[in-house]
Amino acid sequence: MRVLPIFPVYEGETVYSVISRYFAVMGYFNSNTLALQVFSMERKRIHPYLPNSLKKFANYFGEPIQETIKNRTLFPFFESTLSAIQASKLKAAMLGINGSPFHLSLTPQYGLKLFAGHKYCPECARRDMDNYGTTIWRIEHQIPGVSACAIHHCNLLGVKNNDLCLDRRLSLPTLNNQSNKANFTDVIFSRYSKKKLSQYKSSKCEHESVEEIINNLKALGFATPNGLLKYSQIVNELKFFWNGLNSNHPLGIPEPIQSFDFIGPMLRVKTRTPAHPMKYHLILCWLDNLKKAPCEYPTKSKNVKHNCDIEILKLAKAGKSMNLIEKELGVSRCYIRKLLEINGIYHKSNSMHLSEKVIRKVVIKGLYGYTIEDISQQLALKTSTIEHIFCRTKGLSLWRKNLRHQKKLANALAVIKSAVRKNPNWLRKDIKEHHNAEFFLVYYHNKQMLEDILPPRTSPVPPKLKRKRP
Ligand SMILES: [Zn+2]
């Protein structure tokens, strides 16, 4: 049986919504009859935003498959943060019958307690009833974490999947619900998510990148002079910006995310794993606000402190106390102390309790490459005190790192030289086999250095023939 010729499908309507409306229009007694016609299976669950069997759906309703996947699902939303391979797997699962798009979107892996069900805005439902004569489920309301309508600024209502198996029951939003005014910060997030979704759909912004976020953060002054990100400052600013988010809304952003503890693991290279698009949007919306890009969000954040080093030094030279500088600029006392000591400005904190003479002794021993334990014994100081002096002496940590490398290199050279001397019959490959770590340490440091101490190259010996030629 073909679809009714007068049955319209609306822009931004979910797959579940189209099926539910068609079920209502056709007046079937049992939804299984419709499932059999559209999906060729008797029982069918339809996910709110990541359904599968889309080829069969598009074929039945006479819609191009690319339009279906773009306008009726959140595939573009998840594609924006997934790798190309993972995104193609997700797409294949959504087009086919047997895959599980929800799992391939990595949502269970993110471990977030997100609302599982269909969401709608009571005001949008009323408007749709006036315009179309029916209510519909809209894809923009299904975005995870969105709890407010971006148009009507009211709270969305949710119908859980497990509520009498709604996803098999096929229903539409009801009209007899009052709308409640939503929290303003929730509306900001909804508007931003909706804007991003339409950008992904129109291919204006296809993929989110952590590198780009890091570059933007650095450009906005969230990096140390050594190029490291100031994570605690970023988290504080994010918390300040998203302060009004509703933490108790069952449809909204889960409370653990609102602590922004994910920032470090998400941005650090060593701990970086795929993150839910919601996390990207929380950061990107805040960054857009900071950059004062042409967006309509109010500037809520504190001013980012560019050149705060200069201001700290200026205040310190004017004789202001560290306490006062900390209060005025919001920079940690540890940072102020480090900056003052690097610039040779006297301060009255505890780290100055040692005399200049003792500190000088520690620094000189540090420069000579003595271990912290040795210096501790020789000068009767705590190891933590010595570490602290090393940290605040400009360039000393790097110098000691270089010394450690030189020491390792000298040891490796000695080991290889002694091996060459003791085993005159060894070939180069034998030395590499017996002293692999030392061999490669010298190799990566300086190839020529290794070339000078190894035995001369030998030409390869062809294998002996097993049988003599007649
Ligand atoms: Zn609405």
Side-chain angles (χ1 to χ4, degrees):
M1 191 185 199
R2 300 297 306 159
V3 68
L4 283 177
I6 50 160
F7 183 77
V9 284
Y10 301 112
E11 176 80 23
E13 188 181 6
T14 64
V15 170
Y16 173 80
S17 178
V18 174
I19 296 285
S20 297
R21 275 197 310 111
Y22 195 64
F23 175 66
V25 167
M26 292 298 283
Y28 286 119
F29 178 71
N30 192 335
S31 62
N32 294 352
T33 319
L34 182 61
L36 197 63
Q37 276 183 26
V38 181
F39 300 109
S40 314
M41 54 180 77
E42 278 199 356
R43 292 169 72 79
K44 178 73 185 159
R45 278 174 185 268
I46 304 168
H47 194 270
Y49 50 85
L50 290 173
N52 64 0
S53 308
L54 289 183
K55 260 186 191 166
K56 285 188 181 289
F57 172 88
N59 189 32
Y60 190 84
F61 288 94
E63 189 178 51
I65 183 70
Q66 291 307 328
E67 289 297 309
T68 305
I69 201 161
K70 201 169 75 178
N71 290 327
R72 311 203 178 285
T73 73
L74 287 187
F75 173 73
F77 179 81
F78 284 95
E79 189 194 17
S80 68
T81 57
L82 291 176
S83 66
I85 299 167
Q86 195 64 28
S88 67
K89 279 184 191 171
L90 174 61
K91 192 172 184 178
M94 290 177 80
L95 298 181
I97 308 168
N98 297 323
S100 169
F102 186 66
H103 285 87
L104 288 167
S105 73
L106 305 184
T107 307
Q109 192 180 312
Y110 300 137
L112 307 171
K113 284 187 180 169
L114 293 167
F115 174 75
H118 303 261
K119 300 186 275 188
Y120 71 98
C121 159
E123 294 294 331
C124 286
R126 263 175 224 121
R127 192 190 60 182
D128 292 336
M129 184 54 96
D130 290 344
N131 292 344
Y132 308 135
T134 176
T135 56
I136 60 174
W137 302 97
R138 295 183 167 276
I139 194 66
E140 77 221 30
H141 294 153
Q142 313 308 324
I143 299 174
V146 164
S147 62
C149 176
I151 300 168
H152 299 105
H153 299 192
C154 60
N155 280 324
L156 297 183
L157 301 173
V159 184
K160 282 185 181 175
N161 267 353
N162 58 7
D163 185 15
L164 298 175
C165 295
L166 176 86
D167 47 352
R168 282 191 182 158
R169 199 156 53 86
L170 299 180
S171 69
L172 289 165
T174 49
L175 282 174
N176 52 356
N177 283 307
Q178 287 298 314
S179 60
N180 298 321
K181 196 166 167 35
N183 197 335
F184 182 63
T185 319
D186 290 332
V187 175
I188 289 179
F189 181 72
S190 301
R191 273 153 67 181
Y192 191 79
S193 297
K194 191 183 168 188
K195 188 179 104 179
K196 288 305 269 183
L197 182 64
S198 60
Q199 281 179 0
Y200 299 143
K201 279 188 197 172
S202 61
S203 307
K204 273 185 197 164
C205 162
E206 282 178 344
H207 205 270
E208 302 299 355
S209 134
V210 175
E211 273 76 22
E212 207 178 313
I213 292 177
I214 291 174
N215 289 340
N216 281 329
L217 285 169
K218 285 182 180 174
L220 286 164
F222 287 100
T224 63
N226 294 331
L228 300 172
L229 285 178
K230 297 173 180 173
Y231 291 103
S232 60
Q233 201 177 336
I234 295 167
V235 170
N236 286 342
E237 289 281 335
L238 274 165
K239 277 184 188 166
F240 185 80
F241 181 76
W242 291 112
N243 189 23
L245 277 179
N246 195 342
S247 55
N248 298 321
H249 203 300
L251 313 186
I253 296 165
E255 208 176 351
I257 294 219
Q258 294 185 30
S259 69
F260 293 96
D261 290 340
F262 64 86
I263 292 293
M266 183 177 161
L267 301 185
R268 276 190 200 104
V269 178
K270 281 186 181 173
T271 53
R272 199 177 297 166
T273 45
H276 195 282
M278 182 202 295
K279 294 179 181 173
Y280 281 86
H281 290 177
L282 285 168
I283 303 173
L284 289 170
C285 180
W286 164 67
L287 279 177
D288 275 8
N289 182 66
L290 276 187
K291 282 191 282 184
K292 292 180 185 149
C295 67
E296 65 268 41
Y297 311 126
T299 305
K300 284 171 64 180
S301 181
K302 289 181 237 169
N303 289 328
V304 181
K305 290 160 197 69
H306 296 287
N307 300 325
C308 75
D309 292 5
I310 297 167
E311 286 176 44
I312 293 170
L313 293 175
K314 210 163 81 183
L315 288 172
K317 279 174 188 165
K320 304 278 182 193
S321 70
M322 275 170 61
N323 186 25
L324 209 80
I325 299 172
E326 187 188 12
K327 274 184 187 165
E328 202 158 307
L329 299 176
V331 188
S332 78
R333 209 175 276 213
C334 183
Y335 182 79
I336 301 169
R337 191 167 59 199
K338 189 179 127 195
L339 193 75
L340 297 187
E341 284 170 10
I342 284 174
N343 288 281
I345 297 173
Y346 181 75
H347 62 83
K348 286 179 184 169
S349 83
N350 202 26
S351 67
M352 286 280 181
H353 74 283
L354 288 174
S355 70
E356 194 59 38
K357 200 177 161 190
V358 176
I359 293 172
R360 197 173 155 72
K361 271 185 189 173
V362 173
V363 172
I364 289 171
K365 284 189 184 290
L367 282 169
Y368 276 114
Y370 282 87
T371 63
I372 289 178
E373 287 74 24
D374 285 348
I375 302 173
S376 167
Q377 280 177 2
Q378 288 168 16
L379 300 178
L381 291 171
K382 280 185 191 171
T383 50
S384 58
T385 312
I386 298 163
E387 277 169 4
H388 190 75
I389 294 170
F390 283 177
C391 286
R392 67 180 201 231
T393 308
K394 203 173 184 178
L396 184 55
S397 298
L398 203 68
W399 169 261
R400 284 177 62 80
K401 191 179 169 188
N402 194 21
L403 279 184
R404 282 195 294 276
H405 178 72
Q406 292 296 338
K407 194 177 167 187
K408 275 188 195 170
L409 188 69
N411 283 343
L413 283 171
V415 168
I416 295 173
K417 275 180 189 167
S418 116
V420 172
R421 202 172 49 246
K422 284 179 188 166
N423 308 287
N425 298 331
W426 275 11
L427 300 175
R428 289 181 169 209
K429 71 176 176 63
D430 299 318
I431 293 168
K432 189 165 85 177
E433 197 180 317
H434 285 86
H435 303 288
N436 195 276
E438 289 81 5
F439 184 94
F440 280 105
L441 195 136
V442 183
Y443 178 83
Y444 287 121
H445 178 76
N446 190 341
K447 280 182 198 170
Q448 191 53 46
M449 203 181 258
L450 188 66
E451 199 67 39
D452 293 344
I453 55 171
L454 285 179
R457 285 175 189 276
T458 48
S459 48
V461 183
K464 284 177 187 172
L465 288 172
K466 284 180 186 170
R467 199 156 50 89
K468 281 186 182 175
R469 280 180 187 156

